[in-house]
Amino acid sequence: MKVKGEFAYASDLWHEDMLWGATLRSPHPHARVTGIHIAEALAVPGVYAVLTHADVPGVNRYGLEHPDQPVLAEAVVRYQGEPVALVAADHPETARRALARVTVDYEVLEPVTDAEAAVAGTAAALHPGGNVVRHVPVLAGDQYAEAEVVVSGTYEVGMQDQAFLGPESGLAVPAEDGGVDLYVATQWLHVDQRQIVAALGLPEDKVRLTLGGVGGAFGGREDLSIQVHACLLALHTGKPVKMVYNREESFFGHVHRHPARMYYEHGARRDGTLVYVRAKIYLDGGAYASSTPAVVANAATLGVGPYEVPNVRVECWGAYTNNPPCGAMRGFGAVQAAFGYESQMDRLAEACGLDPVEIRLRNAMREGSTMPTGQIVDSAAPVATLLRGVADLPLPSSPGGLDLRRLPGGVSNTTHGEGVVRGVGYAVGIKNICFSEGFDDYSTARVRLRLVGGEPAATVYTAACEVGQGLITVLQQIVRTELGIERVTVEPADTSTGNAGSTSASRQTYVTGGAVRAAALAVRSALFADVASRSGTQRSELSLSGGKILSTMDGVVGELADVLGDRDYDETVEWRHRPTETLDPETGRGNAHVQYGFAAHRAVVDVDVELGLVKVVALDCAQDVGRAMNPQAVAGQIHGGSAQGLGLALMEEIQIEGGVIRNPSFTDYLIPTVLDMPPMNVEVLELADPHAPYGLRGVGEPPTISSTPAIVAAIRQATGKALTRVPVRPEHIAGI
C-alpha cells in the first residue's frame, strides 16, 4: 500500500465537523513568562478555544522517565519552541491567525548552552536538582594503569535529527463517556496513555489510543508531541480535533540526538594490545530529561567499544541546557561513543605502526569476553569475523574517463579529478538490544485461531507499533510458522491489548515476536490437546503444516478446518526476556543488558582536498543478525541505518546558536538522498543467540553506529586531517 501511495498516514486522518489545533511556541530559549493574553485570539471568528497551562485539568507535567516537562509552559520557558498556548479553530489558517493574536510577556534570561559547563556548575541551575540529569561511571581493573603507547583526543558530535518524513500528527475524538479516543503516530501507545491520563486527570479506561499510520520514527516519536494537546482541545470543545505539524514545527516538536563532547585516552603495549581506556563523555540533554538517563548509561557501558580492555574508567554525564530537548535516536548513546573510541583506535594504530584492521583484530571482543561492567558476553560476538569480512571484499575501481557523477561535487562540475584523493576507513560498533538496567521489559500478544469463510485463519492482537520496520510481516511469518496456516491478520495496534513496550532499542521482533510466538504455541498446544483426546494420538507426535494436522506415527490425522469447526482457540501471553540488573551507581558494575549486536563497515571515499567535498564511493557492511527472520527486511535495515550514519558523518546537523535553531527545514537541514548513498555490499552472519526467540538478534541500530566513524576514517586517510568532529564540513578538510 505504501508503494502504491494508498497507505493512510496519521496526517490523513479526518472526521466530520472536526476542528484544527495549533500550538503557540516560545521564540526564546530561556525566559520567564510574566503574562499571557488570549482575549484577542478568542475574538477571531471560527476560534473555539484558546488554552494555557491554567486549563490543564490534571498534572501539568509529563516525561518518559521523569515528569519534568510542562504540558504548557507556566512561569518559565526552557527552550525555543516550548509550547505556551493552544488554539482550536474551524480551519488551520484561522488557528494560525489566532495564534498570532496571543500575546505573551517574556522576561528574557541568559540561556545555558554548554553541557560541560552545565555539569561543572558554572552555569545557572535550570531545574531544582541542578543541571546533571544523570552521571554514570564504569570502572574496571587498575585505575592507575600505565602503558607504553598513549594516545588522547577530544571529539564532538553534532545534534542530529531523526528527519522522519511523516510529521507529528493525530486526531482526538471526545467520547460520550467523558473520555477521549486518540489516533496518533507514535512509538509506544501505553506510555503515551500513562502520561496523557495524568495530564487530563482521567482514569486510564477513559483515554483510548489507536496507532495512526506512521511515516518513520527512529526514536523521535517516543516522547509526546501533540498527544495531550489534541486531547485537551477535544475535551474542551466537545469536538474532534486534528493536529499536524509542518516541517519547521516538527523540528521544535520532537527530541533529537544528543550532541556530545568526549575526552578519550587509550593506553596500549607497543604491539597494540589495549591496557586501559579512560574517557569523559558529556551529553547535552537539552531542556528536559526525556530518555537522557538511559542514553547516558548506554554511552558509558559501551564506551570502550567491542574490545577487550582490562582497565577502564569511563564517566558519562547527561546535562540540562536551554538547547532543544534530546532523547532517543537510532543508536541511542552508542553512536556518540563509537565516534570517540573508533577515532582513538585509528590513532593508536598509527602510533603503534599497525594497520587499522589489525589493531582491531588484536583487541576484538569474542564470545565469553567480559564487558567493563563485569557482564559476560554469552552469545556470539564475531567482531574479528565481521572485520575480516568487510576487509576481504574487493575494493571499488577508480573512475575511468570523465564521469562527473562519480566525482566529488557531481554534475556541478567542480573538478575533473584534479585534487581528488581516495581514502579507505574501517570501524566496528557494539549496541545493546532491548531495554536494560532491570526495566520490566515485556510484550503482550493475543493470537486467535478460528474458521473464517471455511478457511483456518489467525488474528494477532498487539499494541506494538509498526513504524516502517516491517514488524507486521514478521509477526505474520511467526504465526504462519507455528500454526502452519497462510491466512494471518494483524489487527491495528491499540491500548485495548496489553502493553507491548516501545518500538525502539531494536526490541520489537525480539520481544513482541517472542510474545506472538508464545501465544501461537499456546494456541497450538490447546488444539493438540483436543486432537489427542479425540484420536488417542500423543500430543508430542502432532504437528501442523499446510492446514493439516500431522502425526509422526500416523501421517495426516485430519484437516485443521474440520477440527476447528465452530470453536475458537484464543490465547493471550505476556512474554519477557531474561532479567537484567541496575548498574551499581559507584562502579557501573552489573548485568545491565539483554543482548549485544555487532556490525562493521568499510568506507571508501573520494575527497576533493581543495574544496573539501566528499563522495562516498562504497560503504560495505557485515553484521551478525542471529537469524534473518526476513532477509529482505534485514538488508533494508542495514542500508537504512548506514544511510543515517552517512548523514551524521557528512551533512546532518541541527545548527544551534545561543539556544536558537538556525536551520529548521529540509532546505537547510540536509539528509542523504539516493544520489548520496553508494552501492553497498552487505554480508549477513546468522550466529544464533541461544537466549533469544529463533536465535534472532536486533538489527536496526548497529549499522548506524559503525558507518559514521568508518566514513570519517576514510576521509582522514585521504586528507591527513585529524577530523575530530562530525559532521565533517568542507572547511574542516580544506581549511577554508
Side-chain angles (χ1 to χ4, degrees):
M1 292 178 68
K2 290 180 180 177
V3 173
K4 294 166 68 176
E6 297 175 355
F7 184 78
Y9 291 95
S11 54
D12 297 316
L13 291 165
W14 197 267
H15 197 289
E16 290 185 10
D17 197 33
M18 74 181 185
L19 302 177
W20 294 81
T23 310
L24 180 70
R25 298 178 178 276
S26 167
H28 308 292
H30 196 199
R32 289 192 183 92
V33 179
T34 59
I36 305 174
H37 311 284
I38 65 174
E40 286 192 27
L42 280 169
V44 174
V47 170
Y48 282 72
V50 181
L51 306 183
T52 69
H53 66 86
D55 299 298
V56 178
V59 180
N60 188 30
R61 289 288 185 277
Y62 70 90
L64 273 178
E65 299 186 37
H66 302 292
D68 63 349
Q69 186 162 356
V71 174
L72 292 169
E74 295 184 51
V76 65
V77 291
R78 294 184 176 90
Y79 71 98
Q80 181 203 21
E82 181 157 355
V84 178
L86 306 171
V87 168
D90 58 7
H91 191 279
E93 188 56 41
T94 304
R96 284 191 286 270
R97 288 201 309 270
L99 286 182
R101 297 195 180 192
V102 177
T103 303
V104 183
D105 301 325
Y106 293 105
E107 179 188 334
V108 178
L109 303 172
E110 185 70 23
V112 176
T113 59
D114 184 270
E116 190 173 352
V119 167
T122 58
L126 301 179
H127 289 270
N131 291 332
V132 176
V133 182
R134 189 180 184 188
H135 170 228
V136 174
V138 175
L139 313 178
D142 181 1
Q143 298 300 294
Y144 303 97
E146 297 181 351
E148 298 170 293
V149 180
V150 176
V151 295
S152 60
T154 302
Y155 305 96
E156 293 188 354
V157 176
M159 183 183 289
Q160 187 180 20
D161 188 65
Q162 295 85 352
F164 41 72
L165 299 186
E168 290 82 351
S169 50
L171 176 69
V173 182
E176 291 183 359
D177 65 356
V180 63
D181 293 287
L182 177 65
Y183 304 84
V184 65
T186 183
Q187 289 179 241
W188 191 350
L189 290 164
H190 282 83
V191 83
D192 286 4
Q193 182 188 46
R194 184 196 76 204
Q195 296 170 89
I196 295 167
V197 298
L200 298 182
L202 290 175
E204 191 174 278
D205 63 351
K206 292 293 181 69
V207 179
R208 299 164 290 268
L209 277 69
T210 300
L211 182 67
V214 182
F218 314 113
R221 299 188 199 272
E222 272 204 317
D223 296 76
L224 297 185
S225 56
I226 61 95
Q227 285 92 326
V228 179
H229 297 163
C231 292
L232 278 173
L233 290 169
L235 291 172
H236 190 86
T237 63
K239 289 178 172 290
V241 174
K242 177 176 179 175
M243 297 188 77
V244 181
Y245 290 172
N246 62 27
R247 183 55 57 188
E248 178 175 308
E249 188 171 19
S250 182
F251 274 92
F252 297 118
H254 65 257
V255 298
H256 313 287
R257 188 186 299 287
H258 292 74
R261 185 179 300 139
M262 303 174 288
Y263 301 91
Y264 269 91
E265 180 178 300
H266 280 54
R269 297 203 292 263
R270 295 206 177 276
D271 66 359
T273 304
L274 285 167
V275 175
Y276 69 81
V277 173
R278 297 175 189 138
K280 292 185 176 181
I281 302 171
Y282 297 90
L283 299 177
D284 186 344
Y288 297 104
S290 181
S291 54
T292 292
V295 176
V296 167
N298 273 12
T301 59
L302 306 175
V304 305
Y307 304 111
E308 294 188 335
V309 188
N311 307 298
V312 173
R313 184 182 187 92
V314 175
E315 291 187 85
C316 185
W317 291 266
Y320 285 121
T321 69
N322 292 120
N323 292 321
C326 291
M329 185 175 173
R330 195 177 197 166
F332 204 81
V335 166
Q336 295 91 328
F339 179 62
Y341 63 68
E342 286 299 85
S343 298
Q344 282 288 99
M345 292 301 286
D346 284 337
R347 283 192 173 186
L348 195 60
E350 183 178 4
C352 294
L354 292 172
D355 177 85
V357 173
E358 179 58 30
I359 198 166
R360 288 171 168 84
L361 292 175
R362 293 187 182 188
N363 294 284
M365 180 183 291
R366 57 184 62 84
E367 185 170 358
S369 292
T370 302
M371 295 290 293
T373 59
Q375 183 168 0
I376 304 298
V377 180
D378 58 359
S379 66
V383 177
T385 303
L386 296 173
L387 279 164
R388 292 191 183 100
V390 292
D392 291 344
L393 289 169
L395 287 164
S397 61
S398 297
L402 182 60
D403 185 347
L404 295 177
R405 295 170 299 177
R406 300 184 65 186
L407 291 171
V411 294
S412 58
N413 199 24
T414 58
T415 181
H416 288 185
E418 63 278 8
V420 175
V421 182
R422 176 158 289 187
V424 180
Y426 297 87
V428 60
I430 179 174
K431 176 66 175 65
N432 63 308
I433 307 299
C434 297
F435 293 157
S436 302
E437 289 196 85
F439 188 92
D440 186 15
D441 191 6
Y442 68 91
S443 182
T444 310
R446 175 187 170 203
V447 173
R448 183 185 185 192
L449 177 64
R450 56 180 174 151
L451 283 184
V452 178
E455 180 184 354
T459 306
V460 179
Y461 303 85
T462 171
C465 295
E466 166 65 68
V467 300
Q469 80 277 35
L471 178 66
I472 289 175
T473 300
V474 168
L475 299 184
Q476 290 173 321
Q477 287 180 268
I478 289 171
V479 175
R480 289 186 183 117
T481 298
E482 301 302 342
L483 297 184
I485 61 174
E486 284 300 312
R487 190 169 173 180
V488 179
T489 302
V490 179
E491 287 293 297
D494 61 36
T495 49
S496 68
T497 302
N499 199 338
S502 175
T503 296
S504 60
S506 303
R507 65 179 286 281
Q508 282 294 8
T509 299
Y510 192 129
V511 182
T512 296
V516 168
R517 178 174 184 260
L521 289 174
V523 165
R524 193 174 75 185
S525 178
L527 175 73
F528 285 174
D530 285 349
V531 172
S533 66
R534 296 175 194 171
S535 65
T537 308
Q538 294 294 318
R539 289 171 58 178
S540 60
E541 299 174 3
L542 296 174
S543 62
L544 284 167
S545 180
K548 299 180 185 298
I549 301 174
L550 308 176
S551 165
T552 54
M553 301 296 293
D554 304 320
V556 177
V557 174
E559 295 288 334
L560 178 58
D562 295 335
V563 174
L564 285 174
D566 59 359
R567 172 154 184 198
D568 285 8
Y569 289 87
D570 195 329
E571 299 288 343
T572 300
V573 172
E574 198 174 84
W575 190 87
R576 289 169 170 80
H577 54 62
R578 58 181 178 165
T580 58
E581 301 171 358
T582 56
L583 293 169
D584 182 280
E586 301 298 325
T587 65
R589 309 288 285 180
N591 294 327
H593 300 309
V594 177
Q595 184 190 62
Y596 296 98
F598 303 88
H601 277 84
R602 182 188 67 187
V604 181
V605 303
D606 284 341
V607 184
D608 185 331
V609 297
E610 297 172 354
L611 293 180
L613 302 178
V614 178
K615 172 75 172 179
V616 181
V617 177
L619 187 58
D620 302 317
C621 181
Q623 183 172 337
D624 172 32
V625 303
R627 183 174 183 183
M629 302 289 286
N630 185 308
Q632 190 173 21
V634 165
Q637 287 292 315
I638 294 172
H639 279 263
S642 300
Q644 286 187 304
L646 182 150
L648 179 59
L650 294 175
M651 60 187 76
E652 290 192 48
E653 182 177 8
I654 297 177
Q655 301 281 338
I656 300 173
E657 188 172 298
V660 175
I661 298 178
R662 299 176 59 198
N663 60 333
S665 74
F666 281 170
T667 300
D668 299 313
Y669 180 90
L670 304 180
I671 58 175
T673 70
V674 67
L675 298 178
D676 298 298
M677 276 301 290
M680 286 188 67
N681 292 307
V682 174
E683 289 198 350
V684 174
L685 275 68
E686 295 188 74
L687 305 177
D689 181 345
H691 311 287
Y694 303 110
L696 67 86
R697 197 179 304 278
V699 173
E701 293 175 284
T704 306
I705 295 163
S706 49
S707 47
T708 297
I711 291 168
V712 178
I715 302 171
R716 287 195 196 105
Q717 192 199 58
T719 64
K721 301 277 188 175
L723 302 179
T724 59
R725 189 186 192 281
V726 288
V728 176
R729 301 175 186 168
E731 59 265 32
H732 299 158
I733 297 170
I736 299 171

